[in-house]
Amino acid sequence: MHNDLISAVDQGNVGALALLDLSSAFDTVDHRLLLAILQKRIAVTDSALAWFQSYLADRTQTVHLQDQVSNTIHIDCGVPQGSVLGPKTLIAYVDEMEDIICGPWSSLSCLC
């Protein structure tokens, strides 16, 4: 990547690098948007879509530290980490990112 940027600049082109921090990606998945993506882009419908909706709905979180327990909070975004579906639903959620960055309207010459 470094060599590609240096070569582009040496040839008189503009070189740019966009870095994406996915360290909190699992925590930031919007449930409504994910369900819409599953339905429209991946064609998940009917009972399968209802199952995903049920899987994401009514999630709560608490923190346990020794004998202390935090208040329970309602989770309205994110996908469960450590589950089989967590990574797969995250991939479905971010799948369109290349289309957004390297879409036909973009003037960027992508290496995507």
Side-chain angles (χ1 to χ4, degrees):
M1 187 63 64
H2 180 262
N3 189 45
D4 292 342
L5 285 170
I6 298 299
S7 294
V9 172
D10 286 346
Q11 294 172 11
N13 297 317
V14 174
L17 174 63
L19 301 174
L20 182 61
D21 179 8
L22 293 175
S23 60
S24 295
F26 285 93
D27 300 331
T28 59
V29 173
D30 181 289
H31 292 171
R32 288 178 292 151
L33 184 55
L34 174 60
L35 292 169
I37 289 169
L38 290 172
Q39 184 178 21
K40 293 180 178 133
R41 187 162 182 151
I42 303 177
V44 175
T45 59
D46 303 326
S47 60
L49 187 63
W51 184 87
F52 271 104
Q53 194 167 17
S54 172
Y55 176 72
L56 297 170
D58 299 323
R59 292 199 167 268
T60 59
Q61 174 178 307
T62 57
V63 177
H64 297 249
L65 180 61
Q66 295 177 355
D67 60 344
Q68 301 289 321
V69 180
S70 70
N71 293 333
T72 300
I73 60 170
H74 180 74
I75 304 297
D76 58 0
C77 64
V79 292
Q81 296 180 45
S83 68
V84 173
L85 285 177
K88 291 170 178 45
T89 53
L90 179 64
I91 289 168
Y93 187 73
V94 298
D95 185 48
E96 293 182 351
M97 201 168 303
E98 179 181 337
D99 296 343
I100 294 167
I101 296 170
C102 299
W105 53 267
S106 175
S107 61
L108 298 174
S109 174
C110 290
L111 300 174
C112 301

